[in-house]
Amino acid sequence: MKMALRLARQGLGRTSPNPMVGAVVVKNGVVVGRGYHQKAGGPHAERIALTKAGKLAKGATLYLNLEPCNHTGRTPPCTRFILEKGIKKVVFGMKDPNPRVKGGGAAFLRSRGLEVVQGVLEEECRQLNQVFIKWIENGLPYVTLKAAASLDGRIATRSGDSKWISNEKSRLRVHQLRNQVDGVLVGIGTVLKDDPRLTVRLPRKRSNQPIRIVVDPELQMPAKARMFSEPGKIILVAGNTVPREKKKAFQSLGVGILSLPVLKGRFSMRALLKALGKMEITSLLVEGGAEVFGSFVSEKCFDKLVLFFAPILIGGHQAKGIIEGPGFFSIDKALQLREVELRRLNGDILVEAYPEK
């Protein structure tokens, strides 16, 4: 099962909206076939591993981190292929949380006389596919908030200067994070101040370019923004009262427009996430700015926090903090964090944490 998990991780950032799955075929204690799901629409891990095993699959055991599918989606049911290949025993880590197939694969194989064992390294299997689990069960993307700040919690100086707070190793880690998600989101304030590209730029590695999403209630997006010169899809989240002609001007450039209601100059982040989930955006990296961060934190609708702290002090009343907005009124109402982990990235300190459920 550990081998299946290692194989599955090779699909990180490539399989959405499908889960990451690895498969291993073992016969007489010897691995005779292995594979992993590489992209949505492509062959599933089971089919790849069993095809590699060939005739040796007959009477063998198949190990998977996820229950085999028993329905027709972009590809045929894997359970049928398992039967055709003569597998004797199937061992998997976690049940498929998809309401269409929950329990279906295991029950079908048992009904055909196969031995089926489930729940092996289940927690590790669930952790691997936490993005898929949240989206398939709730229809919402898995949200990671990311920021770089000084040790005193400033993301820019009083003049707005922020390049570069974090070091090169931290910035490389940010590109790795972008490479693993479906979408990267910023507010229009960040675009107007920094003019970011929001692309993945990794050395010697084929990159996955996520959808770039800009929260822009009044549709202030500059027509000459750098991201328009970069390949990939862009979505502008505009207020539903923005004139249609203004929206059409961007749509004629191939830019997607998502219209949402605006209340007191803000969107509901929960409504935004629901809309993105319907677009099969299963994972989202939120890179700022402080007002956008404040909205996600105050609505308690994020799943992970990633902060890069640089060994500098900025200070000043006018210097931006990590989180703006109304904030919490008292300490007992503040958002508690769990599973806090610290790591050094040269001189920077990387903090990863999760909000209390």
Side-chain angles (χ1 to χ4, degrees), residues 163 194-197 212 224-230:
K163 293 183 179 178
D194 298 334
D195 194 17
R197 288 183 282 174
R212 288 159 291 168
K224 295 183 178 180
R226 283 201 302 172
M227 68 174 68
F228 288 136
S229 63
E230 299 286 347

Side-chain angles (χ1 to χ4, degrees), residues 187-196 216 220-222:
I188 185 60
T190 296
V191 174
L192 295 176
K193 181 172 70 71
D194 298 334
D195 194 17
D216 189 4
Q220 299 173 280
M221 188 73 173

Side-chain angles (χ1 to χ4, degrees), residues 162-330:
S162 61
K163 293 183 179 178
W164 294 101
I165 288 179
S166 58
N167 63 33
E168 188 174 345
K169 192 168 184 179
S170 294
R171 296 197 298 274
L172 177 61
R173 178 62 183 141
V174 171
H175 285 283
Q176 291 170 342
L177 290 172
R178 289 179 184 174
N179 193 40
Q180 297 170 3
V181 298
D182 294 341
V184 175
L185 182 146
V186 296
I188 185 60
T190 296
V191 174
L192 295 176
K193 181 172 70 71
D194 298 334
D195 194 17
R197 288 183 282 174
L198 299 181
T199 53
V200 178
R201 300 182 294 279
L202 290 172
R204 300 183 301 277
K205 187 173 183 179
R206 185 181 177 185
S207 299
N208 169 53
Q209 296 299 340
I211 298 171
R212 288 159 291 168
I213 304 162
V214 180
V215 176
D216 189 4
E218 298 177 11
L219 211 52
Q220 299 173 280
M221 188 73 173
K224 295 183 178 180
R226 283 201 302 172
M227 68 174 68
F228 288 136
S229 63
E230 299 286 347
K233 188 175 181 180
I234 297 172
I235 297 175
L236 303 181
V237 186
N240 55 5
T241 58
V242 172
R244 185 178 300 177
E245 294 73 22
K246 200 172 183 180
K247 295 177 181 177
K248 281 186 176 180
F250 284 102
Q251 289 173 323
S252 66
L253 299 174
V255 177
I257 299 291
L258 175 58
S259 297
L260 293 176
V262 179
L263 181 62
K264 296 181 179 180
R266 295 173 178 267
F267 294 115
S268 161
M269 292 298 105
R270 291 188 180 276
L272 171 57
L273 293 178
K274 187 174 182 180
L276 294 178
K278 288 180 179 179
M279 297 166 66
E280 294 192 342
I281 294 176
T282 67
S283 55
L284 187 67
L285 180 65
V286 179
E287 296 200 31
E291 291 290 340
V292 171
F293 258 57
S295 295
F296 276 96
V297 172
S298 64
E299 292 187 43
K300 299 180 180 179
C301 56
F302 70 97
D303 302 282
K304 187 176 181 179
L305 183 67
V306 178
L307 298 177
F308 299 89
F309 286 103
I312 59 172
L313 299 174
I314 293 177
H317 294 297
Q318 295 178 327
K320 280 278 188 180
I322 299 173
I323 301 172
E324 297 289 325
F328 297 102
F329 183 74
S330 59

Side-chain angles (χ1 to χ4, degrees), residues 7-19:
L7 286 165
R9 287 190 187 95
Q10 294 184 47
L12 183 62
R14 301 293 184 271
T15 64
S16 179
N18 291 350

